[in-house]
């Protein structure tokens, strides 16, 4: 009986392994097909040995808004569309996709804050964009935006953060489980998420219901989910997170850079003390605003209209101060 059970167990394992290999082969073939169908909507530029995707729209003579995605966002260009779609008529908008994100290829380079910032700056330059910029970082990209404003203040007109990280906020985040992240990396590379039912995909990706998406957008969004989720570059960013926060903390606080932070109530539940830390940071900024919102961490999905309206007001105020030094700060 023991031998029979052992044979059955081995047979089941072999079947499972063969099935996984078959699914992975199908996934690889479909990725190759999708690369030809769902092509980049912006410019591909060669930076530091990787092809980086930069999407831009709007009049180049207008104020330039640069969107920087949070950690793990598989398609930054699509993710930010609820905002840039409403802003492109009034401003120049750009979305920079870091290596391993969206249409950008993977990189074997270190993910320290200095390397990532220089890659972003060079990608924008090669795509034909010129500073000064208004930066719109989401989540962990807040560190890059603050570092940018500190190192190159002449290039940053203002920062509009979407639940942005500051150096002190990193300690509030739940610890990252390496084993779980590596498992998700393996699952993604095998292509198993491709077989998630459509109804579950819509639950996992509520942005699929965004009215501004065309059918091609939705299909492209799903394709990028299968291609650029839990990439090696994303995992490496987490390994550098504490070091990057310390590097930003060592820099001078950009007191003169106007800042507007939108905070989600959900993030306060995930990282207790989030609003307190953000408030403390903004108290050191000469021109700053904080807007709490009853929504999720991807607050630009649910509150795009409200956020866009406040962005317009904030940029108008900072522009008037910039052009009229005698005018009192708002």
């Amino acid at each position: 009986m023991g031998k029979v059970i052992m044979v059955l167990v081995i047979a089941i394992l072999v079947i499972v392994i063969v099935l996984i290999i078959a699914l992975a082969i199908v996934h690889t073939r479909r990725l190759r097909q999708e690369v030809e169908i769902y092509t980049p909507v912006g410019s591909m530029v060669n930076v530091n040995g990787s092809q980086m995707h930069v999407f831009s729209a709007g009049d180049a003579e207008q104020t330039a808004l640069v969107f920087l995605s949070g950690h793990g966002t598989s398609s930054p260009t699509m993710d930010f569309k609820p905002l840039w779609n409403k802003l492109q008529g009034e401003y120049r908008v750009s979305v920079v996709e870091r290596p391993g994100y969206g249409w950008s290829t993977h990189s074997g380079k270190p993910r320290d804050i200095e390397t990532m910032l220089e890659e972003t700056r060079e990608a924008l330059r090669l795509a034909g964009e010129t500073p000064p910029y208004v930066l719109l970082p989401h989540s962990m990209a807040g560190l890059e935006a603050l570092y940018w404003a500190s190192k190159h203040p002449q290039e940053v007109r203002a920062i509009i953060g979407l639940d942005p990280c500051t150096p002190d906020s990193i300690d509030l985040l739940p610890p990252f489980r390496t084993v779980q992240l590596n498992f998700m990396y393996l699952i993604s590379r095998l292509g198993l998420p491709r077989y998630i039912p459509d109804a579950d995909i819509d639950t996992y990706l509520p942005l699929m219901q965004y009215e501004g998406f065309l059918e091609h957008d939705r299909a492209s969004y799903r394709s990028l989910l299968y291609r650029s989720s839990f990439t090696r570059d994303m995992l490496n960013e987490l390994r550098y997170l504490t070091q990057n926060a310390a590097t930003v903390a060592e820099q001078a606080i950009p007191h003169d850079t106007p800042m507007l932070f939108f905070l989600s109530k959900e993030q306060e539940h995930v990282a207790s003390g989030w609003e307190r830390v953000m408030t403390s940071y903004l108290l050191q900024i000469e021109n700053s605003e904080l807007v709490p919102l009853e929504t999720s961490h991807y607050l630009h999905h649910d509150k795009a209209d409200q956020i866009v309206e406040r962005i317009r007001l904030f940029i108008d105020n900072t522009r008037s101060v910039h052009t009229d030094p005698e005018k009192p700060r708002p």
Side-chain angles (χ1 to χ4, degrees):
M1 181 61 68
K3 291 182 178 179
V4 171
I5 293 175
M6 183 178 296
V7 170
L8 287 174
V9 170
I10 293 174
I12 291 172
L13 287 176
V14 169
I15 292 172
V16 170
I17 291 172
V18 170
L19 178 60
I20 290 175
I21 292 174
L23 292 176
I25 292 173
V26 171
H27 171 62
T28 301
R29 289 177 177 174
R30 292 187 65 179
L31 279 182
R32 290 172 182 165
Q33 295 170 350
E34 290 164 354
V35 166
E36 300 296 326
I37 299 172
Y38 307 113
T39 55
V41 294
S43 302
M44 298 298 295
V45 293
N46 192 344
V47 179
N48 204 14
S50 298
Q51 290 289 313
M52 290 182 64
H53 178 244
V54 180
F55 167 78
S56 296
D59 188 342
E61 300 300 319
Q62 298 170 326
T63 301
L65 312 185
V66 174
F67 294 84
L68 305 171
S69 70
H71 177 264
T73 301
S74 58
S75 178
T77 300
M78 297 295 181
D79 179 76
F80 283 123
K81 188 169 183 179
L83 292 184
W84 63 252
N85 198 35
K86 298 176 184 294
L87 292 165
Q88 64 177 324
E90 304 163 65
Y91 310 98
R92 179 70 172 174
V93 297
S94 295
V95 182
V96 181
E97 297 185 340
R98 296 190 298 278
Y101 287 71
W103 278 286
S104 296
T105 61
H106 302 305
S107 167
K109 303 297 189 299
R111 295 294 85 198
D112 61 280
I113 196 77
E114 180 70 25
T115 297
M116 291 195 293
L117 173 58
E118 291 310 307
E119 288 175 348
T120 298
R121 294 176 67 228
E122 180 67 2
L124 285 166
R125 185 187 71 81
L126 292 175
E129 305 303 323
T130 56
Y133 306 119
V134 174
L135 305 180
L136 289 93
H138 175 232
S139 195
M140 288 186 188
L143 294 177
E144 183 177 351
L146 296 176
Y147 190 66
W148 196 341
S150 179
K151 292 273 288 186
H152 307 282
Q154 73 282 1
E155 295 182 4
V156 181
R157 178 170 291 176
I159 295 176
I160 300 174
L162 306 166
D163 257 350
C165 285
T166 63
D168 289 341
S169 71
I170 299 304
D171 292 335
L172 303 178
L173 298 174
F176 301 104
R177 295 176 174 83
T178 303
V179 174
Q180 181 180 4
L181 290 171
N182 285 330
F183 177 73
M184 294 305 298
Y185 169 81
L186 177 61
I187 291 297
S188 297
R189 301 291 73 77
L190 292 174
L192 299 187
R194 186 180 292 278
Y195 305 99
I196 298 174
D198 289 347
D200 292 336
I201 281 286
D202 290 344
T203 300
Y204 178 64
L205 297 175
L207 190 59
M208 291 289 284
Q209 306 304 316
Y210 169 52
E211 60 183 11
F213 273 177
L214 303 175
E215 284 305 314
H216 185 80
D217 292 331
R218 292 186 174 88
S220 179
Y221 188 34
R222 288 187 64 149
S223 172
L224 290 168
L225 169 69
Y226 305 142
R227 171 182 170 181
S228 300
S229 292
F230 294 98
T231 65
R232 183 59 63 186
D233 291 313
M234 293 175 182
L235 300 190
N236 287 338
E237 285 180 3
L238 291 180
R239 296 188 180 100
Y240 277 88
L241 180 58
T242 300
Q243 174 186 320
N244 287 341
T247 300
V248 176
E250 291 169 359
Q251 298 294 313
I253 293 175
H255 303 280
D256 296 332
T257 303
M259 297 188 192
L260 166 64
F261 285 5
F262 295 95
L263 304 184
S264 72
K265 291 297 184 179
E266 179 188 79
Q267 190 69 356
E268 180 65 33
H269 296 312
V270 172
S272 180
W274 188 262
E275 186 170 343
R276 170 182 53 80
V277 168
M278 296 301 130
T279 301
S280 176
Y281 189 89
L282 289 180
L283 285 175
Q284 304 171 86
I285 307 303
E286 189 172 348
N287 177 7
S288 65
E289 297 180 34
L290 186 147
V291 181
L293 296 173
E294 287 283 355
T295 187
S296 68
H297 182 52
Y298 280 81
L299 60 182
H300 48 291
H301 295 177
D302 303 325
K303 301 293 183 180
D305 289 336
Q306 187 174 345
I307 290 172
V308 165
E309 192 58 37
R310 292 300 292 264
I311 286 175
R312 291 185 179 120
L313 292 172
F314 184 73
I315 292 177
D316 286 345
N317 285 338
T318 56
R319 184 189 289 122
S320 65
V321 170
H322 180 75
T323 56
D324 184 0
E326 301 302 320
K327 183 182 173 88
R329 289 185 177 274

